Amino acid sequence: MIRTAARRAPVAAVLALWACAARPTKPNSEMASNRTDTKNPLLAPWTGPWGGVPPFGRFKVADIKPALETAMDENLAEIERIAADPAAATFENTIAAMERSGHALDRVAPIYGIYTSTMNNDEVQAIETEMEPKLAAFSDRIIQNSKLFARIAAVYAARDQLALTPEQQRLLWLRYTRFVRAGAKLDDVAKARLSELNQQLAGLYTKFRQNVLEEEKSQLVLLDREEDLAGLPPNLREAAAAAAADHGKPGKWAILNTRSSVDPFLTWSTRRDLREKVWRMFTMRGDNGGANDNKLIITEVLKLRAQRAKLLGYPTHAHWQLEDSMAKTPERAVALMEAVWKPAVARVREEVADMQAIPDRERAGIRIAPWDYHFYAEKVRKAKYDLDENEIKPYLQLEKLREAMFWVAGELFGLGFAAITDGSIPVYHPDVRVWEVTDGQGHHVGLWFFDPYARPGKTSGAWMNEYRPQSRLEGEIPVIVSNNANFVKGRPGEPILISWDDARTLFHEFGHALHGLNSAVIYPSLAGTNVARDYVEFPSQLLERWLATRAVLDRFALHYQTGQPLPAKLVEKIERTQTFNQGFLTVEYLSSALVDMKMHLAGETPIDPAKFERETLASLGMPAELVMRHRPTHFLHIFSGDGYSAGYYSYLWSDTLSADAYEAFAEASGPYDKKIASKLRKYVFSVGNTVDPADGYRAFRGRDPGIGALMRKRGFPYTGTASGASPTTGAH
Ligand SMILES: [Zn+2]
């Protein structure tokens, strides 16, 4: 996952990615300070080495709000000057000038982002509550500046006569397209209608989210007796007891209406009747009638989105959303999903057959139902692979894995990492450490901040964050990125042991960091990870693959007591379980992604969500043994904001690329093939958004991506002859 601060607003408004993570909740407390300070330390240019570093330790939290306000005012004044320039519009005095503007905001916004996501407290939350709407309004003021847009449009109209570089053409196209997409081309009446639609939608998104949260908060399955806990391991019993006590039922047990409570219960409980009850509660969120029912909201949201798309000149909301994605059209995204759908469903049938054999053997007289899937899948996993997570963990030391990532970055991209321990680079919390990143010649590339531990006020999960993008527009500006996680801090001197999944996430986020660190572009808003939503997870998903390489495991997966590397037998078990249960995981994801896309392709036809869901799944041939990962009535990705609407397919799209790209290494001399690594850097990791991602990928791979590699990665049979269907087996 990546987080983009609210920098360079007109672009960032579209690019901001807050995937997967809930933003911190907002309190009611009021901002205490209202001072405006011309000597605000956050507004000053950064000092220190390498183009300056963030001034951590030299400002107060109370400086953030006035700094943001002053920085926005400054940027608006700059934009006004660009818009009012008496000279005819040129790329230089309009597009490049916008890139040169907003420096103060570029410095303040990352600090604001760091504090809201990792140093959050009442004071920070109050600033956030006040500033979020102001930042949104700031963005609107730039988009709706008609003099500014007239200049952008004039440059765009003359683009073929301007002798622009490919990077400049790309920047111009992105600027123009994003202004148009946000309504800059509309007349005043339509603009007013657009902002009315946006406001109505914003209200519905909030209501939708609150309805889901309310049902998740208020509903639970209460377990009265010891025998209701049958099958649950001790840690789940303790969690259920604590949950009941929290809900005023001490001495009993409660299964809450959240995935982290429901999934383990469905996996371990031997009480089929209770599994069904818990499953029904969870899958019916937002669909229970009454005050928290989301069906009418969905109908209304889809209608307003369709109207907005039409107003903006697009056939449907899906067409509007996908225009600046890599897929470009909904049809291409649907084609990918449908190609994977059939084999995934076939795999589900095999998984169900494996599971059905168990109750059949036991003469239990049941057919596998959706509330049985997790339970019997776990039994099959034990029988087939005999893999115990606790056997692996002693070999996965956080700091050793960090060294492993550095080693991989050195092998693939020639990067070197040196810890800065003399205190010369200030940090915002004592847990945060900094490394200087250099290239093969020892030249400075950038800084990598690492903030690995959980603490109060830090958002859960893991993510990458960019403090300053690389650029060359105003001299060589080196990049500053950070990786953030929530590991529980060990006692001093004790290694922190992490799970295989967490190790993969560590590599994933480091992949985003390398995408930022390898950036070699001129214009800052095109740098590093500032790419399309269905492309940004490609470099990070790809880097995950190096964790499981023998070179990494042999050197860095060392037992914390004996220093011995992970035994080959365990490595083989890990490799064999990579494709386990992929039928279930793919179908529950894909059914959601397909329903999302089809709902947003329906145009202005009024949609009854229950009927639409039923009919769409029936026409797809959805297996009866499982449900969508997110049914429409609680599909927060697509109905609590525009972000992932008609965009839930993005995860599959990026994974198709990562699987296909990794096979390029397998087809050469292996994961550390220097020639392929250098192409990967040249055409993917260094180009940011300066090229169309499809062109960049083609330059790297020598052809378009095929889905063969994805099918092999997930263990699905694939006999297609399309590009990418090489006979290699994806050795890792
Ligand atoms: Zn990611």
Side-chain angles (χ1 to χ4, degrees):
M1 179 177 104
I2 100 162
R3 273 166 201 243
T4 310
R7 56 173 292 281
R8 219 168 280 282
V11 174
V14 181
L15 287 180
L17 292 166
W18 289 87
C20 319
R23 305 215 39 195
T25 48
K26 291 164 184 184
N28 300 317
S29 53
E30 287 294 313
M31 255 308 284
S33 164
N34 237 333
R35 74 201 182 98
T36 39
D37 186 352
T38 49
K39 292 206 174 59
N40 192 315
L42 287 174
L43 291 168
W46 291 354
T47 57
W50 306 308
V53 295
F56 298 121
R58 294 210 302 274
F59 60 88
K60 296 183 293 297
V61 169
D63 292 328
I64 295 175
K65 182 193 131 170
L68 274 176
E69 286 177 331
T70 305
M72 284 192 287
D73 287 346
E74 274 182 36
N75 197 2
L76 285 173
E78 287 168 322
I79 292 292
E80 202 39 60
R81 275 197 298 277
I82 295 168
D85 190 338
T90 65
F91 181 88
E92 208 40 44
N93 73 17
T94 305
I95 307 298
M98 288 175 74
E99 290 285 300
R100 290 193 184 92
S101 75
H103 287 332
L105 189 58
D106 289 345
R107 290 190 294 269
V108 184
I111 307 286
Y112 170 69
I114 291 163
Y115 272 72
T116 51
S117 59
T118 79
M119 300 286 283
N120 214 311
N121 58 20
D122 286 353
E123 189 183 8
V124 174
Q125 286 185 354
I127 296 170
E128 195 182 15
T129 304
E130 186 177 352
M131 295 313 295
E132 283 296 305
K134 288 189 183 177
L135 285 162
F138 161 78
S139 180
D140 282 347
R141 278 188 65 183
I142 296 178
I143 293 284
Q144 300 202 348
N145 184 323
S146 47
K147 280 188 300 178
L148 176 69
F149 179 66
R151 295 180 71 86
I152 296 171
V155 180
Y156 185 70
R159 63 193 177 281
D160 293 336
Q161 287 86 56
L162 296 178
L164 300 175
T165 67
E167 180 172 345
Q168 289 170 333
Q169 287 172 25
R170 177 87 182 155
L171 178 63
L172 175 57
W173 178 79
L174 282 165
R175 280 281 182 202
Y176 175 78
T177 306
R178 283 171 185 168
F179 268 69
V180 173
R181 282 169 48 71
K185 235 178 174 175
L186 302 176
D187 62 30
D188 289 348
V189 176
K191 267 183 187 157
R193 173 71 187 136
L194 178 67
S195 63
E196 194 183 305
L197 286 169
N198 281 334
Q199 281 166 44
Q200 276 178 282
L201 280 166
L204 291 167
Y205 298 156
T206 306
K207 183 78 181 107
F208 185 94
R209 186 171 55 241
Q210 286 169 351
N211 284 343
V212 176
L213 292 179
E214 186 54 35
E215 299 218 325
E216 290 183 350
K217 213 168 63 189
S218 62
Q219 298 177 349
L220 51 80
V221 171
L222 197 65
L223 308 176
D224 290 321
R225 297 160 305 163
E226 192 85 36
E227 52 266 40
D228 294 341
L229 309 177
L232 301 187
N235 63 331
L236 290 186
R237 290 170 183 239
E238 283 160 29
D246 281 351
H247 286 76
K249 302 279 181 191
K252 301 200 172 184
W253 299 269
I255 304 305
L256 305 181
N257 201 9
T258 63
R259 198 178 293 281
S260 59
S261 189
V262 167
D263 279 1
F265 186 83
L266 295 178
T267 305
W268 298 107
S269 172
T270 53
R271 284 284 301 273
R272 192 169 193 244
D273 57 332
L274 292 174
R275 288 205 304 267
E276 179 175 356
K277 195 170 169 186
V278 166
W279 179 88
R280 286 200 186 283
M281 167 179 77
F282 190 61
T283 50
M284 290 301 286
R285 286 169 297 149
D287 193 14
N288 292 303
N292 297 320
D293 195 289
N294 271 333
K295 290 194 285 293
L296 287 176
I297 293 182
I298 291 172
T299 305
E300 191 65 12
V301 164
L302 292 171
K303 186 185 88 186
L304 296 179
R305 279 179 175 162
Q307 288 176 1
R308 182 176 61 182
K310 209 172 163 194
L311 190 67
L312 289 164
Y314 297 82
T316 71
H317 177 74
H319 290 86
W320 178 67
Q321 277 289 65
L322 271 82
E323 184 182 59
D324 65 352
S325 68
M326 183 177 173
K328 288 202 168 68
T329 67
E331 291 74 19
R332 294 188 63 209
V334 169
L336 171 67
M337 291 191 277
E338 288 183 341
V340 181
W341 175 257
K342 268 196 185 124
V345 169
R347 174 53 46 84
V348 163
R349 304 217 188 285
E350 293 170 18
E351 290 171 2
V352 169
D354 280 350
M355 294 190 285
Q356 186 66 50
I358 298 171
D360 287 357
R361 229 176 5 247
E362 294 165 351
R363 298 181 191 287
I366 62 157
R367 302 296 311 163
I368 300 291
W371 44 93
D372 298 321
Y373 212 111
H374 284 91
F375 180 76
Y376 285 104
E378 182 59 26
K379 285 188 182 303
V380 173
R381 191 181 73 90
K382 263 255 142 47
K384 264 195 166 167
Y385 302 101
D386 187 36
L387 180 66
D388 185 347
E389 173 80 29
N390 295 323
E391 283 179 77
I392 308 171
K393 225 173 172 174
Y395 296 90
L396 301 178
Q397 305 175 56
L398 175 61
E399 294 300 321
K400 282 281 166 212
L401 291 165
R402 177 185 51 69
E403 287 172 28
M405 304 191 308
F406 290 173
W407 185 80
V408 169
E411 291 295 308
L412 295 183
F413 304 125
L415 298 176
F417 291 74
I420 299 175
T421 52
D422 61 3
S424 59
I425 306 297
V427 293
Y428 52 91
H429 188 280
D431 284 350
V432 180
R433 287 172 285 163
V434 189
W435 277 260
E436 188 199 356
V437 187
T438 50
D439 67 13
Q441 287 78 49
H443 298 133
H444 180 82
V445 165
L447 293 173
W448 183 71
F449 281 61
F450 189 40
D451 183 359
Y453 308 126
R455 62 173 169 268
K458 190 173 180 181
T459 307
S460 64
W463 65 93
M464 171 270 197
N465 188 359
E466 192 175 67
Y467 297 172
R468 182 177 62 201
Q470 174 274 339
S471 69
R472 289 180 183 145
L473 183 59
E474 297 165 279
E476 195 75 43
I477 303 294
V479 54
I480 305 177
V481 296
S482 80
N483 277 166
N484 305 267
N486 273 281
F487 298 109
V488 177
K489 206 174 173 178
R491 272 183 292 215
E494 263 183 34
I496 295 169
L497 303 177
I498 67 177
S499 69
W500 182 261
D501 272 356
D502 283 343
R504 201 168 48 206
T505 302
L506 202 63
F507 272 64
H508 176 102
E509 300 308 335
F510 193 63
H512 286 310
L514 290 176
H515 196 186
L517 287 165
N518 277 301
S519 178
V521 307
I522 294 171
Y523 297 95
S525 63
L526 300 177
T529 51
N530 294 302
V531 297
R533 182 187 43 218
D534 55 3
Y535 194 70
V536 74
E537 299 296 330
F538 157 44
S540 54
Q541 285 178 337
L542 179 61
L543 204 89
E544 290 176 26
R545 306 294 291 273
W546 272 265
L547 167 64
T549 60
R550 286 294 165 102
V552 159
L553 296 177
D554 288 348
R555 284 176 180 77
F556 301 99
L558 306 178
H559 195 283
Y560 78 107
Q561 287 165 325
T562 66
Q564 290 298 308
L566 195 65
K569 220 176 79 193
L570 274 178
V571 176
E572 279 158 25
K573 280 189 192 177
I574 292 169
E575 285 170 356
R576 286 174 57 214
T577 50
Q578 297 304 306
T579 58
F580 177 67
N581 217 28
Q582 282 293 333
F584 175 86
L585 292 168
T586 304
V587 166
E588 73 156 3
Y589 159 79
L590 259 187
S591 53
S592 308
L594 279 161
V595 168
D596 161 37
M597 190 61 82
K598 286 173 192 277
M599 277 183 156
H600 289 106
L601 279 170
E604 288 187 280
T605 325
I607 284 179
D608 169 352
K611 186 163 168 272
F612 191 91
E613 178 186 2
R614 203 168 48 240
E615 290 176 358
T616 305
L617 293 177
S619 72
L620 287 169
M622 177 78 168
E625 293 86 359
L626 74 170
V627 282
M628 299 166 71
R629 184 169 178 82
H630 310 283
R631 291 190 52 238
T633 54
H634 46 254
F635 204 160
L636 291 166
H637 289 81
I638 68 170
F639 291 123
S640 73
D642 281 329
Y644 274 80
S645 59
Y648 196 59
Y649 78 90
S650 296
Y651 295 99
L652 184 75
W653 190 274
S654 283
D655 203 27
T656 306
L657 300 177
S658 82
D660 189 62
Y662 194 66
E663 287 199 351
F665 287 90
E667 289 160 17
S669 70
Y672 297 94
D673 187 282
K674 297 282 179 213
K675 226 176 110 193
I676 305 293
S678 126
K679 281 170 100 173
L680 184 67
R681 184 179 180 284
K682 184 173 178 190
Y683 298 115
V684 177
F685 275 73
S686 69
V687 296
N689 205 357
T690 61
V691 294
D692 183 293
D695 295 340
Y697 191 86
R698 203 175 298 120
F700 160 67
R701 197 68 168 101
R703 57 163 172 74
D704 288 326
I707 66 163
L710 177 81
M711 306 297 261
R712 287 184 282 279
K713 184 185 174 196
R714 297 190 179 214
F716 299 155
Y718 182 69
T719 51
T721 50
S723 60
S726 68
T728 51
T729 51
H732 302 273

